Amino acid sequence: MPLVWQEARITAAVPETPRVRRLTLAVGWGKPFRAGQHVDVRLTAPDGHQAQRSYSIASSPTRPETIDLLIERLADGEVSGFFADVAEPGDVIELRGPIGGAFVWDPAEGGPLLLVGGGSGVVPLLSMLRHRAEGAPDVPALLLTSARTPDDVIAREELMRRDAEEPNFQLRLVLTRVPGGRRIDADTVRAALAALGTPAHTFVCGSNPFVSAASDLLVEAGLPARTIRTERFGG
Amino acid sequence: MVTRGFTGRRPARPDAERLPPGQYLTEDFPVLQLGPTPKIDLARWRFTLREGAKPLKSWTWTEFEALPRTRWKGDIHCVTKWSKFDTAWEGVTFDDLLAAAGIEAPTAYLLAEGYDDYTTNVPVADLTGAKAMVATRYAGEPIPPDHGGPARLLVPHLYFWKSAKWVKGLRFTQKDEAGFWELHGYHMYGDPWREQRFTGD
Ligand SMILES: Cc1cc2nc3c(=O)[nH]c(=O)nc-3n(C[C@H](O)[C@H](O)[C@H](O)COP(=O)(O)OP(=O)(O)OC[C@H]3O[C@@H](n4cnc5c(N)ncnc54)[C@H](O)[C@@H]3O)c2cc1C
């Protein structure tokens, strides 16, 4: 089915962390989306100059009429800067999707599910976690996520609440820019695998360097490469 | 539709003319792939031309490195919207591969196959006439594993997902068969200048 450009209205825009803004968009999907998919947005200047970028959907597929995007402001970013500073509720954005058929998880695929996200790379994983909580709460899942400081953890309250309340979900936070901070390393990976058991599906998402490093660690820890799926945001 | 408040950042004019629609210029070399970077042992590396299941010709790494080599410099365009200018590659053109195998292309289509089980389809006409190569060097060095080393297909005039990484062979097919991304909704051909990103574009 062709992916057509549609107009989507921003219904809310709120700060998620100091560097990430959450935008809620009312979309008119022709078909439902799957957790892990993304949309393309297109912005047009008055002289016709256009910019397109991809953004993962953070919200659960069970609520398909509106989607949440979590957009991190990058220094000098052409599109992320617009979403950080200019976009407001009521604005209409051109968008098409859902896109992507490989980095997706459906409850029917089961688990255990290992989710590894660096920075805004947690966004598509959030959609999977939200979907799992509603549709397959028995599937064991562990989210290993890396952020600079506690304030930079996207959806921190929600993740901590899930960790406290959901019997089969575990959260592992790795903070890089705090005293004694660290990055995801062989020890963190080993501990996560020991806590979860061998995952049937592993999803790794974030910047290029993050995904390269994390997926190499997972392969070194013995996970078969074909059980690991990756999504790279660039940078 | 003009987006309220968006002014954007235009590339310099000569750059803009080299940028296909919807693309932006990057100085980095982003990486895109389905899964982890495969570890490939050159001692066991093989590159095979097949027709359907039937092998037509196969090379070891040493044999492949002895084939005639060609350099190519130019621009590449990824469907995720980045373009990179003046990239420099070296490898064996598709024409030279066929010549070395002593064959003519038996069909009009093929699937490039990667060590990661990735496949992507390309019409044979898009590979002949020095338009494409199996590259083994980038910027004068062996291609780094993240960018598809030891060898990747290079079809620079199509979106870069057609330039299969960690390529292990080319399989001629009777008709144009969808590869991995094409089965997931991406365009069968992928011309950046016509913005053929997805099925129906
Ligand atoms: C499938 C997919 C899903 C994505 N999902 C999200 C998402 O959910 N949330 C999100 O915030 N972003 C996401 N991205 C990244 C997003 O598409 C843009 O790349 C990002 O917002 C930067 O665009 P820009 O126009 O602001 O920056 P640009 O003007 O393009 O670039 C500004 C500078 O930042 C560098 N840069 C570009 N991208 C990155 C990056 N990701 N990290 C670090 N440096 C970078 C550039 O090299 C340049 O120096 C996703 C990307 C892909 C491919």
Side-chain angles (χ1 to χ4, degrees), chain A residues 2-3 7 40 43-47 49 51-54 76 78 82 86 88 91-94 96 99 101-102 208 212 215-216 219 225-226 228-230 232, chain B residues 1-11 22 24 28-37 39 80-81 117 146 180-181 184 186 195 197-201:
Chain A
L3 279 174
E7 296 185 357
D40 278 3
L43 308 181
T44 307
D47 67 355
H49 168 75
Q52 293 185 27
R53 296 290 186 278
S54 301
D76 200 27
E78 181 176 16
F82 167 83
V86 181
E88 290 301 341
D91 285 345
V92 173
I93 301 294
E94 279 186 296
R96 66 177 183 166
I99 300 166
N208 284 322
S212 291
S215 53
D216 285 351
V219 171
R226 64 191 70 227
I228 305 173
R229 280 170 273 182
T230 59
R232 298 170 186 252
Chain B
M1 187 204 86
V2 171
T3 314
R4 184 196 67 84
F6 177 70
T7 49
R9 202 177 49 218
R10 281 150 204 75
Y24 65 95
D28 309 335
F29 193 166
V31 179
L32 274 150
Q33 58 204 46
L34 280 176
T37 299
K39 304 266 178 292
T80 63
K81 326 276 168 23
D117 292 338
D146 268 359
F180 181 87
W181 287 117
H184 282 102
Y186 283 74
E195 264 200 281
R197 299 176 192 278
F198 305 110
T199 310
D201 276 351

Side-chain angles (χ1 to χ4, degrees), chain A residues 19-20 36-40 51-58 69-83 99 120-124 154 205-208 231-235, chain B residues 9 24-28 32 80-81:
Chain A
R19 289 152 35 91
V20 175
Q37 288 189 300
H38 66 271
V39 295
D40 278 3
Q52 293 185 27
R53 296 290 186 278
S54 301
Y55 292 100
S56 297
I57 303 172
L69 305 182
L70 295 170
I71 300 183
E72 178 179 357
R73 171 210 288 272
L74 293 181
D76 200 27
E78 181 176 16
V79 173
S80 65
F82 167 83
F83 281 111
I99 300 166
S120 61
V122 78
V123 173
I154 290 172
C205 185
S207 65
N208 284 322
E231 181 108 290
R232 298 170 186 252
F233 283 3
Chain B
R9 202 177 49 218
Y24 65 95
L25 189 57
T26 180
E27 299 291 323
D28 309 335
L32 274 150
T80 63
K81 326 276 168 23

Side-chain angles (χ1 to χ4, degrees), chain A residues 77-211:
Chain A
E78 181 176 16
V79 173
S80 65
F82 167 83
F83 281 111
D85 301 331
V86 181
E88 290 301 341
D91 285 345
V92 173
I93 301 294
E94 279 186 296
L95 159 162
R96 66 177 183 166
I99 300 166
F103 197 83
V104 292
W105 178 81
D106 301 308
E109 287 185 67
L113 192 56
L114 176 60
L115 307 176
V116 184
S120 61
V122 78
V123 173
L125 311 179
L126 274 178
S127 177
M128 295 181 194
L129 273 181
R130 290 166 174 168
H131 199 26
R132 172 201 157 278
E134 295 157 344
D138 296 337
V139 169
L142 187 146
L143 171 68
L144 178 58
T145 184
S146 161
R148 296 179 180 186
T149 71
D151 284 347
D152 291 308
V153 178
I154 290 172
R156 183 180 60 179
E157 312 270 286
E158 174 189 336
L159 291 174
M160 295 186 53
R161 179 176 51 74
R162 290 192 187 282
D163 188 38
E165 293 175 2
E166 293 179 11
N168 300 312
F169 172 66
Q170 303 176 63
L171 173 67
R172 297 282 164 120
L173 269 183
V174 177
L175 298 174
T176 57
R177 297 199 192 165
V178 293
R182 65 192 301 182
R183 288 167 180 265
I184 288 180
D185 56 16
D187 288 343
T188 10
V189 165
R190 211 175 301 122
L193 290 173
L196 178 70
T198 305
H201 309 287
T202 300
F203 292 88
V204 187
C205 185
S207 65
N208 284 322
F210 178 86
V211 172

Side-chain angles (χ1 to χ4, degrees), chain B residues 83-146:
Chain B
S83 291
K84 187 170 173 62
F85 288 170
D86 300 319
T87 62
W89 303 84
E90 187 181 318
V92 183
T93 64
F94 181 72
D95 309 297
D96 285 337
L97 275 178
L98 290 185
I103 58 169
E104 300 205 354
T107 70
Y109 299 97
L110 56 73
L111 279 161
E113 303 180 301
Y115 276 96
D116 59 341
D117 292 338
Y118 177 84
T119 54
T120 188
N121 57 320
V122 194
V124 166
D126 282 85
L127 303 177
T128 50
K131 287 194 286 296
M133 64 165 71
V134 174
T136 54
R137 297 178 81 75
Y138 171 71
E141 303 285 336
I143 302 176
D146 268 359

